[in-house]
Amino acid sequence: MHLGLIMDGNGRWAKKRGLPRAAGHIEGMKACKRVILGARNLCVYFVSFYVFSTENWKRPAQEVSYLMSLLAKKLPGETDWYKENNVRIRVRGNVDGLPEEARNAVKNTVEATSGCNGITAVLCVNYGGQDEISRAVNRFIEKNPGKKITVADIEANLDCPDIPAPDMIARSAGELRLSNFMLWDSAYAELLSIDKLWPDWDQEEVQTCLDALAGRTRKFGGLAQ
Ligand code: IPE
Ligand code: IPE
Ligand code: MG
């Protein structure tokens, strides 16, 4: 079971309280930890978090650098927590395009948790579905110049080819958009929008996702079993 999460509404959460947007991002990080534990409790094996999109660079420089500093400065301090809770961190996205400190923090966390197997949390950073597909195609071309590319070739060259496609993609804050998230492997994902803002999420919303999924009939183009 793989749950993809588009974390949205950090800014609105802060605004409602008269706080700076940064406060919403800090609360959003706390929500990630609650959701990881909740997902693990509910036997979800993969959970992907949309942390920073290839379009988020358009935000004011101050917010971008704050989000990058959260990765660079906060993530290293959380590594022990991930290990204690048997959480393996993986990364998806154009990591080479991150500032050095953030890139190193992400890479070190992936490395440090590589032996954990309670749940895998995939951080999608500097991630865009379109960018991932174009990087996958370029990887293929480099290895196979002049050859035609197939669907299986693209799949094999995505950032985490060993991780199954998400069964469900859920978005917080009530929005109904993919915003460039997992464009390739959303092909047959069940979709859900939950009104609650991201910083207010915990295990209950993971349960809501699982309940919704249980009520869907997945046919993958075939007929219901
Ligand atoms: C999601 O919350 C966090 C990121 C995209 C990094 P937003 O920052 O998009 O919050 P809103 O949409 O302004 O409420
Ligand atoms: C999507 O949220 C990106 C992440 C959650 C990282 P945005 O808040 O950036 O999306 P839009 O701009 O509303 O589509
Ligand atoms: Mg938003």
Side-chain angles (χ1 to χ4, degrees):
M1 162 70 192
H2 179 183
L3 183 61
L5 295 172
I6 303 175
M7 308 185 284
D8 201 10
N10 292 357
R12 276 162 276 182
W13 184 94
K15 193 171 180 195
K16 257 177 39 184
R17 290 163 178 77
L19 297 169
R21 292 178 59 83
H25 295 314
I26 288 278
E27 281 307 307
M29 280 190 76
K30 294 186 195 160
C32 284
K33 290 161 94 174
R34 293 194 298 269
V35 165
I36 289 173
L37 294 186
R40 202 198 55 187
N41 292 341
L42 295 170
C43 300
V44 174
Y45 197 64
F46 297 100
V47 57
S48 291
F49 295 95
Y50 204 2
V51 174
F52 190 90
S53 75
T54 47
E55 285 69 38
N56 286 148
W57 299 106
K58 293 180 198 159
R59 295 190 178 200
Q62 194 196 358
E63 178 160 346
V64 169
S65 80
Y66 183 75
L67 289 167
M68 289 302 137
S69 77
L70 282 186
L71 282 176
K73 305 268 191 305
K74 277 259 172 201
L75 206 53
E78 314 240 294
T79 305
D80 285 344
W81 183 88
Y82 293 128
K83 289 210 280 201
E84 278 156 27
N85 291 287
N86 205 14
V87 180
R88 182 174 181 185
I89 299 292
R90 300 275 303 266
V91 65
R92 192 165 169 178
N94 189 352
V95 185
D96 291 339
L98 292 173
E100 193 182 354
E101 258 195 299
R103 180 171 66 239
N104 290 338
V106 169
K107 285 187 172 171
N108 291 341
T109 312
V110 168
E111 179 89 29
T113 60
S114 61
C116 299
N117 60 9
I119 183 170
T120 295
V122 185
L123 306 183
C124 301
V125 284
N126 195 18
Y127 179 84
Q130 293 171 337
D131 179 66
E132 182 183 38
I133 294 167
S134 74
R135 284 184 296 105
V137 170
N138 283 321
R139 268 184 210 134
F140 175 83
I141 293 172
E142 262 177 41
K143 291 180 277 186
N144 307 276
K147 240 182 113 186
K148 277 200 174 160
I149 190 163
T150 65
V151 165
D153 293 329
I154 293 184
E155 244 152 37
N157 284 283
L158 294 176
D159 291 337
C160 300
D162 55 315
I163 296 181
D167 298 285
M168 170 167 270
I169 293 178
R171 182 163 183 151
S172 57
E175 304 289 348
L176 286 166
R177 280 191 296 289
L178 285 175
S179 300
N180 206 6
F181 188 55
M182 291 190 173
L183 295 190
W184 183 270
D185 42 1
S186 60
Y188 270 99
E190 296 296 329
L191 305 176
L192 183 69
S193 174
I194 294 180
D195 285 340
K196 209 176 249 191
L197 304 175
W198 177 255
D200 293 326
W201 276 44
D202 59 23
Q203 180 167 322
E204 196 185 317
E205 283 64 44
V206 182
Q207 186 66 60
T208 303
C209 293
L210 296 184
D211 291 346
L213 186 60
R216 308 277 177 95
T217 306
R218 303 189 75 196
K219 294 181 290 183
F220 299 98
L223 300 178
Q225 298 295 313

